[in-house]
């Protein structure tokens, strides 16, 4: 699938750094999602009826971590197995839950943008175009796999 060893290590190494600061990372990630697409707010059950982003909401932290962690894990699987594989769950279930929540393909672009901006901010001096490209590609392949399941389910 054209994911290189270098790309894999860039994703892995940056996730190792970022995961040490999950509360801040997840807050920033969600803030960016809502800045780019305010309407996304209504999709998240835990954000409805609230004007601010709950700092310590466990569900909201969980989604942020999952997007990062799954993108990273799927990047590793890309090299080992040459296809998108997710840990702990199935692509079929991921497709079903997003379809049910009303997520549509353009939302994946919003989340991608927020993810890449979060990586850039979090990594500071250690950020590079190559690192950005590696995250972008790993995310795209995972997002396409989820979207395929959503299409199959719809
Ligand atoms: C739920 C992962 C993209 C919106 C979930 C869940 C997972 C997940 C694992 C199950 C709930 C949980 O355990 O937290 C991912 C991954 C994505 C992705 C890996 C991209 C590669 C998106 C996008 C949106 C979105 C683009 C739309 C902005 C949601 C919503 C839920 C959900 C609304 C239900 C949360 C709730 O209200 O309980 N996602 N997601 N996700 N996802 Fe995603």
């Amino acid at each position: 699938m054209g994911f290189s060893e270098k790309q894999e290590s860039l994703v892995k190494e940056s996730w190792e750094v970022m995961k040490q600061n999950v509360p801040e990372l997840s807050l920033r990630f969600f803030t960016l999602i809502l800045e780019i697409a305010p309407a996304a707010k209504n999709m998240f059950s835990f954000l409805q009826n609230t004007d601010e982003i709950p700092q310590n909401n466990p569900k909201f932290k969980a989604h942020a971590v999952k997007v990062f962690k799954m993108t990273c894990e799927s990047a590793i699987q890309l090299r080992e197995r040459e296809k998108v594989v997710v840990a702990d769950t199935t692509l079929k279930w991921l497709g079903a839950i997003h379809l049910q929540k009303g997520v549509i393909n353009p939302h994946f672009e919003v989340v991608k943008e927020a993810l890449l901006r979060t990586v850039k901010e979090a990594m500071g001096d250690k950020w590079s175009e190559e690192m950005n490209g590696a995250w972008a590609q790993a995310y795209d392949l995972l997002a396409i796999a989820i979207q395929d399941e959503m299409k199959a389910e719809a």
Side-chain angles (χ1 to χ4, degrees):
M1 265 201 187
F3 202 72
S4 71
E5 204 175 330
K6 180 74 195 291
Q7 285 177 308
E8 182 192 314
S9 59
L10 283 168
V11 168
K12 250 172 140 169
E13 281 161 22
S14 45
W15 174 237
E16 284 303 315
V17 174
M18 291 187 289
K19 79 176 180 199
Q20 290 167 26
N21 201 0
V22 161
E24 200 182 306
L25 177 104
S26 55
L27 184 63
R28 192 62 194 132
F29 177 59
F30 258 88
T31 307
L32 285 167
I33 291 176
L34 300 184
E35 255 175 48
I36 306 168
K41 183 171 177 276
N42 297 326
M43 276 188 237
F44 291 95
S45 52
F46 46 92
L47 290 181
Q48 278 163 16
N49 312 316
T50 158
D51 284 335
E52 52 196 289
I53 301 176
Q55 302 258 353
N56 280 314
N57 185 303
K59 267 195 168 180
F60 132 98
K61 223 182 267 177
H63 189 266
V65 173
K66 274 175 184 149
V67 174
F68 275 90
K69 198 160 172 271
M70 282 183 175
T71 302
C72 183
E73 283 167 353
S74 127
I76 293 162
Q77 299 286 334
L78 279 173
R79 292 217 339 111
E80 285 175 4
R81 312 243 289 253
E82 296 192 334
K83 62 173 181 171
V84 174
V85 178
V86 287
D88 306 328
T89 179
T90 61
L91 284 167
K92 192 175 165 53
W93 180 75
L94 281 178
I97 180 120
H98 290 99
L99 190 68
Q100 184 209 324
K101 296 287 171 178
V103 177
I104 50 171
N105 286 1
H107 295 134
F108 281 89
E109 282 303 311
V110 172
V111 166
K112 178 183 176 183
E113 179 68 32
L115 176 123
L116 295 179
R117 277 161 64 175
T118 305
V119 172
K120 187 169 184 178
E121 287 181 14
M123 296 307 293
D125 288 353
K126 298 198 197 73
W127 182 89
S128 64
E129 284 292 345
E130 207 181 358
M131 181 184 281
N132 192 66
W135 275 99
Q137 193 175 347
Y139 177 87
D140 279 345
L141 291 167
L142 176 57
I144 288 166
I146 297 174
Q147 286 163 11
D148 282 349
E149 290 297 338
M150 289 168 71
K151 227 187 292 167
E153 192 89 8

